[in-house]
Amino acid sequence: MFLKNCLKVMTMDFDVVIVGAGAAGIAAAIELQKTNLSFVVLEARNYIGGRAFTDRETFISTPVDLGASWIHSFGSRNPLYDYYQRLGKDDQFDYDDEGGDALIIDYNGRPLLPHARQRAKLVLSRLYDRLDEFAGNNCNSDDQSIEQVIQTVYEQLIESDEQVKRIVDLSRSGMEQYEGSNLNNLSAKCWETGGAPGGDRWVSCGYGTLLQRICKEHNIPIRLNTLVTHIDTSDTTRIAITTSDSSSALLCHRIIITIPLGCLKRNTIIFEPPLPEWKREAIDLMGYGLMNKLVVQFPDCFWGSSTRTIIHACTVRRGRFRFTICLPPPSNILIFFVTGTFAKELETLTDNEILLEIMTFLQNIFPKRTVPNPIRYKFSRWSQDPLAYGSYSNFAVHSNPQTIADLAKETADGRVHWAGEHANSNDGSENWCYACVHTAFTSGQRAAKAIQNQLNNS
Ligand SMILES: Cc1cc2nc3c(=O)[nH]c(=O)nc-3n(C[C@H](O)[C@H](O)[C@H](O)COP(=O)(O)OP(=O)(O)OC[C@H]3O[C@@H](n4cnc5c(N)ncnc54)[C@H](O)[C@@H]3O)c2cc1C
């Protein structure tokens, strides 16, 4: 009987196993396809793309990204540039967020007055000076949060004029939106380190769709619905991988792990022997933010068909419903970007409660119009997703580019490789950045090339 059960489990042996079919895993696979190494990609979800996920069902003919939507640092040096030119358009839906109007408004829908904007600009330039001064003068001293560093200057300069204060806060919450976190968590030493330089390009077909088309073009071998649970490197010749698919056991010489930082923080894969201390420290130290998208479709475009974005200075709380993308008719969709603690709090509400928050907000900024009832909606909840546990990484207080280098560094005598948006170590190039789809892609290419070099030399 025992023998019979053993025979049922098929053992498969590969040169390389890649864990995760997001941008990093896909890039590693494309790179390995250029070699004669045998490999397979294991993906726990039932789709390819990970945190680049396009919903093509809810809004019928409009593809909507619930994760990444812009190719940052868009240009010929971006590894996704050529793919976008060939595969990134959509036959039915074409949207470009460039052009059109930005509606920049106060909490009550009124315009922000020029004199208040001017005053706010002065205050902000002093806050940025303070941050530059701290980052420049504190190479050896302890890190602090951005909030801590600017707080005193902020309190000294901020005026009794409430609108000036709201505009300054609107700008401060821009940093928070970008990082998916709050200023009291973010490193002042690393402010402006590793941000994506250059322009952005909205992917009309959806960023998730683009990644799927890339996989199709390369015909990459991906096993979906396969959750990796254990990785055992105690045997020095073969790495043993346990998955949710009990009918097969996997062995390999090298492995590339691309699962999100949020999963590493929660130990969703058990390593035998456990990861070294320095790797665990880096995992714990690096910040990991939350951005959610609340997508709501209306029967008409009551905000005005030429409006492409709504930027709102909140009076209740910094950054609340700060930024909204407007898709024009016939889509008539608003995409609310919510981040940090506000996003976390919203995740605890029911869909109906979130809708109520949104409708109250819209009625406040469009007081003269009757906001119609929505016809469809979809809300992401990335921090509750067990295959992501959040959105993307950032520099939390005390983390720095060395933390990313440690996250990217091999373990188990160079047999376990690491890639992903959080593991794009600084290659010294002018355009280096992290936390994005294209940089996750670069990290996967790097890991695959390193394996190729190792195995060629051995
Ligand atoms: C709301 C939001 C907006 C964003 N906006 C942008 C943007 O506009 N532009 C941009 O460039 N970036 C953006 N990002 C960040 C971008 O999505 C990520 O940086 C990028 O997609 C990460 O790619 P990755 O391959 O590192 O990870 P992932 O895409 O998360 O891929 C990792 C894969 O591993 C799988 N996995 C996890 N655990 C296991 C396991 N145990 N076994 C097997 N498989 C497993 C996951 O299911 C996942 O598919 C955004 C992210 C979010 C959430």
Side-chain angles (χ1 to χ4, degrees):
M1 181 63 183
F2 174 72
L3 186 66
K4 217 172 156 191
N5 281 341
C6 285
L7 288 176
K8 275 191 199 152
V9 178
M10 196 166 58
T11 301
M12 301 191 74
D13 204 338
F14 293 93
D15 289 318
V16 188
V17 165
I18 300 167
V19 186
I26 293 168
I30 294 171
E31 215 46 50
L32 289 178
Q33 255 183 347
K34 299 175 191 163
T35 70
N36 56 6
L37 298 171
S38 61
F39 73 92
V40 67
V41 185
L42 307 178
E43 169 54 56
R45 296 184 195 271
N46 61 2
Y47 69 87
I48 293 162
R51 281 168 282 169
F53 171 66
T54 309
D55 179 334
R56 298 191 73 91
E57 284 167 11
T58 311
F59 305 99
I60 307 178
S61 55
T62 308
V64 176
D65 279 312
L66 294 178
S69 46
W70 284 281
I71 304 181
H72 295 308
S73 302
F74 188 72
S76 56
R77 281 194 288 177
N78 188 310
L80 296 173
Y81 179 81
D82 286 339
Y83 286 117
Y84 171 80
Q85 302 291 5
R86 279 187 295 111
L87 308 169
K89 311 278 160 43
D90 193 90
D91 293 341
Q92 291 176 33
F93 174 74
D94 188 25
Y95 171 76
D96 185 354
D97 64 328
E98 280 173 18
D101 303 330
L103 194 62
I104 306 176
I105 45 167
D106 210 347
Y107 70 98
N108 49 11
R110 299 219 178 109
L112 297 166
L113 300 172
H115 86 270
R117 290 169 84 149
Q118 201 54 38
R119 289 287 318 149
K121 214 168 150 188
L122 288 175
V123 175
L124 284 163
S125 78
R126 293 285 297 278
L127 297 183
Y128 296 142
D129 286 349
R130 174 72 194 108
L131 277 171
D132 284 340
E133 186 186 82
F134 180 86
N137 291 343
N138 283 268
C139 303
N140 300 319
S141 67
D142 221 12
D143 199 4
Q144 287 182 25
S145 74
I146 293 182
E147 185 89 56
Q148 265 177 303
V149 169
I150 59 177
Q151 197 55 27
T152 313
V153 185
Y154 175 79
E155 276 162 15
Q156 278 164 0
L157 291 177
I158 209 68
E159 313 177 12
S160 50
D161 184 327
E162 284 295 316
Q163 194 176 69
V164 175
K165 182 172 179 298
R166 281 196 296 280
I167 300 170
V168 171
D169 285 349
L170 175 65
S171 187
R172 292 205 295 163
S173 62
M175 292 188 214
E176 297 183 311
Q177 179 190 315
Y178 192 78
E179 305 293 349
S181 185
N182 295 92
L183 295 184
N184 56 332
N185 296 319
L186 293 168
S187 161
K189 266 188 172 179
C190 289
W191 105 280
E192 289 208 310
T193 303
D200 299 327
R201 175 58 55 92
W202 183 272
V203 185
S204 300
C205 71
Y207 218 152
T209 305
L210 177 61
L211 293 190
Q212 293 187 349
R213 289 179 182 173
I214 294 172
C215 282
K216 200 167 168 202
E217 186 175 272
H218 289 274
N219 197 16
I220 293 173
I222 300 179
R223 278 200 210 170
L224 297 177
N225 301 309
T226 308
L227 178 80
V228 172
T229 54
H230 290 79
I231 295 174
D232 188 338
T233 54
S234 36
D235 182 309
T236 50
T237 55
R238 289 284 196 286
I239 299 168
I241 299 154
T242 312
T243 71
S244 52
D245 173 10
S246 52
S247 66
S248 69
L250 289 160
L251 297 175
C252 63
H253 291 277
R254 297 288 184 275
I255 187 165
I256 303 177
I257 298 169
T258 76
I259 69 168
L261 181 63
C263 298
L264 295 172
K265 282 181 184 289
R266 302 252 193 148
N267 299 306
T268 58
I269 294 181
I270 309 290
F271 291 90
E272 186 54 46
L275 294 175
E277 187 90 335
W278 58 266
K279 180 66 91 180
R280 276 252 57 96
E281 270 173 22
I283 290 169
D284 293 343
L285 200 54
M286 194 69 197
Y288 192 60
L290 178 61
M291 169 183 279
N292 274 321
K293 293 192 178 166
L294 314 176
V295 189
V296 189
Q297 187 168 39
F298 290 92
D300 61 67
C301 177
F302 61 90
W303 52 88
S305 59
S306 65
T307 303
R308 287 288 177 276
T309 47
I310 300 171
I311 298 172
H312 150 252
C314 190
T315 189
V316 182
R317 150 192 209 165
R318 186 170 82 207
R320 188 174 180 276
F321 293 122
R322 175 187 190 280
F323 181 78
T324 307
I325 286 272
C326 314
L327 303 188
S331 302
N332 301 325
I333 286 174
L334 293 178
I335 306 174
F336 302 88
F337 285 56
V338 294
T339 53
T341 47
F342 178 48
K344 257 191 201 129
E345 284 167 26
L346 285 179
E347 279 200 12
T348 65
L349 303 184
T350 62
D351 282 3
N352 277 344
E353 287 167 336
I354 295 175
L355 271 178
L356 188 63
E357 293 275 337
I358 290 172
M359 295 300 279
T360 310
F361 161 66
L362 288 173
Q363 201 56 75
N364 277 343
I365 60 167
F366 295 111
K368 293 192 183 135
R369 282 168 242 184
T370 305
V371 176
N373 284 329
I375 49 178
R376 290 183 190 87
Y377 67 86
K378 184 89 180 203
F379 305 145
S380 72
R381 286 183 171 85
W382 286 103
S383 88
Q384 292 175 28
D385 180 334
L387 298 170
Y389 283 127
S391 299
Y392 45 83
S393 53
N394 56 45
F395 283 118
V397 182
H398 302 302
S399 65
N400 55 47
Q402 182 55 44
T403 319
I404 296 186
D406 287 342
L407 287 168
K409 201 158 133 196
E410 296 138 26
T411 51
D413 298 324
R415 293 184 299 143
V416 176
H417 291 248
W418 302 83
E421 56 85 15
H422 55 281
N424 188 40
S425 47
N426 190 346
D427 57 2
S429 73
E430 232 176 86
N431 288 333
W432 169 75
C433 58
Y434 69 104
C436 307
V437 176
H438 72 282
T439 57
F441 199 86
T442 311
S443 76
Q445 291 175 317
R446 187 244 322 128
K449 282 181 188 153
I451 289 180
Q452 204 186 335
N453 284 339
Q454 284 180 337
L455 295 183
N456 281 345
N457 292 335
S458 66

